[in-house]
Amino acid sequence: MGDGVRRRDVLTGAALALVSGAAARAGVIKGDLPWRPDAVSPPPRVEPGPWQFFTPEELPTIEALADRIIPPDPETPGGKDAGCVVFLDRQLAGAYGSAEGLYDRGPFIQGVEQQGPQSSKTPAQTYRAALQALDQYCRDGGGNGIPRGRRFAELAPNEQDEVLHGLEGGTVHLPGLEAKHFFITLVKDIQDGFFADPIYGGNRDMCAWKMIGFPGARYDYRDWVSRHNERYPLPPVSIGGRAEWTPRQR
Amino acid sequence: MPRRLSHKDVAIVGLGWTGSILANELTDAGLEVMAIERGPWRNTATDYPPNYAQDELRYRIRHELFLRPSQTTFTFRNKMSETALPIRNWGAFMPPNGVGGGGVHWNAETWRFLPSDFVLRTHLTKRYGAHFLPADMTIQDWGVTYAELEPHYDRFEYLCGTCGQAGNLQGKILEGGNPFEGPRSRPYPNPPQTQPFSHTLFAQAARQLGYKPFPQPSGNLSQAYRNPLGVRQGQCSYCGFCEWFGCGNYSKASPQTTILPVLVRKPNFTARDQCEVTRINLDPSGRRATGVTFVDATGQEWEQPADVVLLCAYTIFNVQLLLLSNIGQPYDPLANRGVIGRNFTHQTISDVVSFFDPKKFIFNPFIASGAIGMCIDEFNGDNFDHGPHGFVGGGYMGQVQTNGRPIETTPVPPGTPKWGTKWKQAVKENYLSATKPGTGVHGSMYSYRDVYLDLDPSYKDRFGRPLVRITMDFHENELKQNRFLTDRFAEIFQAMGARQMDKQYRRAPYDIADYQTTHLCGGAIMGTDPKTSALNRYLQSWDVPNLFVIGANAFPQNAGYNPTGTVAALAYWSAEAIRSRYLKSPGPLVQA
């Protein structure tokens, strides 16, 4: 803000904007900063509830994948219990899943790697096809000597890892899909959910932040910037606060 | 039919740093100014307040503050023989959108270029001989000197409240600053920021190796500051959410925190947001701009008549508007003729990620600011003898780590699997004791005959206009430069006590999906000859004298620094020429 003497002008402008509403804005800015009280855009918070993207058929598969990408250990939950599948469910049901805002005009031509992704499929379409294809691959025995007839979630963890190494290394092919690219996306999405703010459904109870020592949304370290080689003492906070701050249900 | 607005003295396309600076200067001169901005109005309280600005997923991963490729994008190919394909999601660079432009989401690293950078071809030819430069390298002198720009650098630094330690004060070399910088007329307006642990350790190691480390000039404020326009900023809180984010603390220099509160209140200033300029209108002679045409958020087309048009959009969009408006001769790399699209450049960035013993080192990487860091400049520009090395150019290097945000900054040692138990264990072990500078080696990219912009023959934007086509690849000179600089950089981390290092050299081919920086430069460059430049030394179009094109598009080649300080200095330099000379006698300021 500028000089204190200007404050009255700002308030007058804000009051006018409230009276005349959006029409007063109409894309023209003149005389005052186009500021209005309470005009904020906080992120939508993921609430518990029914699955929005994954089908009952897909859930065991994606949950098993999440737990192989981030396996549970005695101190920190795995991808499934950390909420990474809830995160991914809401992301795929939303703007990310539909590739909103990306350039979607054709022609779609496969270029060289350094020209970036050129797929005409949205992430939601890719996941839908890939999870089904992955289960089919496992049911068919996969060519890796895995017994036929079991879905991905029904394989032993070491068998699951073998399939994933195959996807990563380009030896497992899924019909109609770029399996290797899908796997890179899957790993990125599950890990994004693990480390993103818990308001998005993953990183449950800030488990990932506690694991590494990241204090989250604190936003002010002026008291610690000069304290070299000392562990930061405070626990993490989320944009949604901390469990201890939230009134308990009675 | 377009609706016609009332005449203005000046129409400005884009309200980022350069648009805000020019608008403020020209309204001070009494002119009626209209600024037209494609994106929305943005301010701290609504767009990135401190209760939700620190959201890595929303701003960093999902690109909240940036242009959406569905609005417009570019096509890309490495070589002229290839078919360019559209950039469907941003990768190598991040075009801004909205009022404040890149000034909202930058790190606020506020550098000056070296005096020799402005006379590059003359300087290198004199020192090494013309044969030393690759035959297809098209570097040029700028037509303006460091001495001429110095007062304008100074104005921008005092506008921003830039924090730093002078290294060369009126010719006197000062301890603790950058001894290679050009002489500055007065010290920085604010002292350097406080440096966290890893940044401090880097400086100690660099000193042991005989270098002269100095704090990176920062537009994240070390203390509260009131600028010459009377606008105030607060102290940076080292929150670690700077680049890609807006600042919730009013402590990062941006048009919002330095100019707009004053500019918007002037009676002779008007802005329109969510309005995209689609062309510059010319009179029948083609030698005079009559204003601009734009489309508002409802799809309505408008015409804004004006005496002077200033293109102040992002580099490539300035070039696109020139091409779409048939201003200047498009560049033809085969014939080596034409100027619009010529000398397009980016940056040559690399990094060294280092892993230290977690029992001995706790770096707390989340304590950082966008322009924090300790740097050395021994390997920038022509600060060292290139003779034995067989390349030209260079860059600063430093521990300039801006964050410990965990989606982006959870490095694991080379050889670690990318997922699974071993990955999880490595993330946990190394988070607090690894260094990841991000853009640690900030190398120059010089210009070449086959790196350029033109209009794509097949892909279109939402209005049906051709997208700009980028043809770009790395050349051996830059790759040699990068190998040499990255190795020197790694030696410093070795001296810090790193037990393992991941030297991430920049490699060819140029990859449009791999982030470097948003420092795209050139395409409508300044110079002394209309055959090899689109603009004269005042950033005035050679072809249409009432049109000025202001931005990094004017750089004949890119230096080894972040560009914003130089972009802003050019904006003030151009504004002064308009005020003191053009308004008195409208017409070419330089005779071709």
Side-chain angles (χ1 to χ4, degrees), chain A residues 11-234:
Chain A
L11 290 174
T12 314
L16 280 174
L18 274 182
V19 171
S20 42
R25 273 275 275 112
V28 181
I29 294 137
K30 193 170 174 62
D32 289 296
L33 290 166
W35 178 89
R36 280 180 296 136
D38 304 331
V40 291
S41 53
R45 190 178 177 145
V46 165
E47 300 294 345
W51 297 99
Q52 294 178 10
F53 176 79
F54 291 118
T55 64
E57 182 79 359
E58 291 163 347
L59 269 172
T61 311
I62 189 70
E63 288 180 341
L65 285 166
D67 260 359
R68 291 325 299 155
I69 291 166
I70 307 178
D73 65 54
E75 283 148 30
T76 309
K80 181 187 164 196
D81 285 344
C84 296
V85 179
V86 178
F87 166 86
L88 187 52
D89 180 72
R90 303 306 198 271
Q91 291 292 312
L92 287 170
Y96 170 67
S98 60
E100 193 180 297
L102 304 192
Y103 185 76
D104 64 356
R105 286 163 201 270
F108 288 89
I109 298 167
Q110 200 51 52
V112 288
E113 190 75 25
Q114 61 270 20
Q115 288 181 302
Q118 294 293 332
S119 171
S120 61
K121 287 201 185 81
T122 65
Q125 289 165 339
T126 301
Y127 270 89
R128 189 114 287 156
L131 294 179
Q132 206 215 337
L134 179 65
D135 270 342
Q136 192 58 50
Y137 173 88
C138 296
R139 278 200 202 95
D140 292 347
N144 284 20
I146 298 166
R148 286 169 175 270
R150 287 185 298 163
R151 305 172 46 184
F152 181 79
E154 292 162 345
L155 304 182
N158 65 324
E159 291 171 328
Q160 291 176 333
D161 282 357
E162 204 176 312
V163 174
L164 298 189
H165 285 301
L167 284 171
E168 185 174 37
T171 56
V172 168
H173 301 282
L174 302 177
L177 288 155
E178 293 176 69
K180 197 173 167 177
H181 278 167
F182 167 71
F183 186 69
I184 292 169
T185 304
L186 172 73
V187 169
K188 170 95 180 100
D189 286 344
I190 294 292
Q191 292 176 350
D192 282 3
F194 192 58
F195 289 125
D197 194 283
I199 59 163
Y200 293 105
N203 191 10
R204 189 166 291 159
D205 302 324
M206 299 179 273
C207 62
W209 293 354
K210 287 172 188 162
M211 177 181 98
I212 58 175
F214 175 59
R218 287 197 172 271
Y219 218 60
D220 189 354
Y221 301 111
R222 280 175 294 183
D223 59 347
W224 215 263
V225 62
S226 299
R227 306 214 25 187
H228 291 174
N229 217 8
E230 286 183 63
R231 207 178 171 101
Y232 186 75
L234 299 179

Side-chain angles (χ1 to χ4, degrees), chain B residues 111-113 118 142 149 153 555 562-571:
Chain B
W111 294 87
R112 299 178 175 200
F113 286 7
F118 295 99
W142 292 51
L149 285 183
Y153 274 122
F555 294 10
N562 309 63
T564 302
T566 301
V567 167
L570 288 175

Side-chain angles (χ1 to χ4, degrees), chain B residues 410-424:
Chain B
T410 37
V412 291
T416 308
K418 292 186 163 57
W419 53 277
T421 302
K422 283 183 182 154
W423 168 80
K424 191 180 180 192

Side-chain angles (χ1 to χ4, degrees), chain A residues 1-3 6 9-10 25-36 39-43 68-73 75-78 87 91 96 100-119 161 164-165 168 183 187-189 191-192 194-196 199-200 209 211-217 219-222 224-232 239, chain B residues 41 43 45-47 50-58 61-62 68-70 73 76-78 83-89 194-197 200 226 229-232 235-239 241 246-250 260-261 264-265 267-273 360-362 364 366-367 404-407 410 418-421 423-424 427-428 431-432 459-462 467 509-513:
Chain A
M1 277 297 154
D3 292 0
R6 306 272 192 200
D9 301 341
V10 177
R25 273 275 275 112
V28 181
I29 294 137
K30 193 170 174 62
D32 289 296
L33 290 166
W35 178 89
R36 280 180 296 136
V40 291
S41 53
R68 291 325 299 155
I69 291 166
I70 307 178
D73 65 54
E75 283 148 30
T76 309
F87 166 86
Q91 291 292 312
Y96 170 67
E100 193 180 297
L102 304 192
Y103 185 76
D104 64 356
R105 286 163 201 270
F108 288 89
I109 298 167
Q110 200 51 52
V112 288
E113 190 75 25
Q114 61 270 20
Q115 288 181 302
Q118 294 293 332
S119 171
D161 282 357
L164 298 189
H165 285 301
E168 185 174 37
F183 186 69
V187 169
K188 170 95 180 100
D189 286 344
Q191 292 176 350
D192 282 3
F194 192 58
F195 289 125
I199 59 163
Y200 293 105
W209 293 354
M211 177 181 98
I212 58 175
F214 175 59
Y219 218 60
D220 189 354
Y221 301 111
R222 280 175 294 183
W224 215 263
V225 62
S226 299
R227 306 214 25 187
H228 291 174
N229 217 8
E230 286 183 63
R231 207 178 171 101
Y232 186 75
I239 292 169
Chain B
W41 185 270
N43 71 44
T46 50
D47 293 277
N51 57 332
Y52 59 76
Q54 59 283 57
D55 184 337
E56 185 180 15
L57 184 75
R58 178 181 187 177
I61 306 298
R62 302 284 186 247
R68 306 314 324 212
S70 61
T73 184
F76 166 76
R77 58 181 181 175
N78 289 127
T83 302
L85 296 179
I87 302 170
R88 298 193 179 276
N89 197 6
T194 307
Q195 299 294 334
F197 182 36
T200 305
R226 179 183 155 139
L229 300 180
V231 185
R232 295 170 194 276
Q235 188 184 35
C236 170
S237 65
Y238 303 90
C239 78
F241 291 85
C247 177
N249 290 327
Y250 298 88
L260 293 173
V264 167
R265 292 183 172 91
N268 51 344
F269 177 75
T270 311
R272 284 181 177 255
D273 68 348
K360 294 188 191 146
F361 297 89
I362 299 169
N364 294 326
F366 45 85
I367 303 178
R405 299 186 301 265
I407 296 177
T410 37
K418 292 186 163 57
W419 53 277
T421 302
W423 168 80
K424 191 180 180 192
V427 164
K428 182 180 173 176
Y431 175 71
L432 294 175
Y459 291 95
K460 306 274 192 280
D461 73 4
R462 62 196 170 122
L467 301 182
Y510 181 96
D511 185 343
I512 204 67

Side-chain angles (χ1 to χ4, degrees), chain B residues 66-288:
Chain B
F66 299 93
L67 182 69
R68 306 314 324 212
S70 61
Q71 288 175 269
T72 192
T73 184
F74 318 104
T75 66
F76 166 76
R77 58 181 181 175
N78 289 127
K79 306 270 182 236
M80 290 176 69
S81 56
E82 296 168 355
T83 302
L85 296 179
I87 302 170
R88 298 193 179 276
N89 197 6
W90 302 126
F93 55 88
M94 301 295 306
N97 195 36
V99 171
V104 169
H105 65 73
W106 70 323
N107 269 329
E109 297 150 307
T110 315
W111 294 87
R112 299 178 175 200
F113 286 7
L114 296 166
S116 59
D117 286 332
F118 295 99
V119 288
L120 191 65
R121 182 167 278 275
T122 302
H123 174 89
L124 292 178
T125 306
K126 200 170 149 198
R127 182 164 178 186
Y128 303 106
H131 65 279
F132 198 71
L133 302 177
D136 58 347
M137 185 183 270
T138 54
I139 55 172
Q140 292 180 193
D141 295 357
W142 292 51
V144 67
T145 63
Y146 173 83
E148 286 172 314
L149 285 183
E150 201 286 331
H152 306 287
Y153 274 122
D154 177 83
R155 278 196 76 186
F156 185 60
E157 288 159 2
Y158 274 73
L159 180 88
C160 291
T162 309
C163 307
Q165 166 64 51
N168 181 343
L169 194 59
Q170 296 174 12
K172 193 178 166 207
I173 303 301
L174 300 181
E175 191 68 29
N178 178 4
F180 297 97
E181 69 178 3
R184 49 179 72 241
S185 49
R186 46 178 180 163
Y188 284 99
N190 283 305
Q193 288 198 279
T194 307
Q195 299 294 334
F197 182 36
S198 66
H199 310 71
T200 305
L201 213 53
F202 177 88
Q204 282 171 12
R207 232 172 268 123
Q208 282 164 20
L209 293 175
Y211 302 127
K212 298 208 159 24
F214 57 91
Q216 178 168 226
S218 170
N220 320 128
L221 293 208
S222 57
Q223 59 188 14
Y225 178 68
R226 179 183 155 139
N227 78 10
L229 300 180
V231 185
R232 295 170 194 276
Q233 293 178 79
Q235 188 184 35
C236 170
S237 65
Y238 303 90
C239 78
F241 291 85
C242 198
E243 185 185 28
W244 314 72
F245 300 79
C247 177
N249 290 327
Y250 298 88
S251 48
K252 171 163 74 176
S254 67
Q256 278 80 350
T257 57
T258 61
I259 301 177
L260 293 173
V262 170
L263 175 62
V264 167
R265 292 183 172 91
K266 291 181 177 176
N268 51 344
F269 177 75
T270 311
R272 284 181 177 255
D273 68 348
Q274 309 202 57
C275 291
E276 178 160 356
V277 172
T278 51
R279 66 174 178 273
I280 302 153
N281 301 314
L282 301 176
D283 76 2
S285 77
R287 299 279 300 162
R288 185 180 164 72

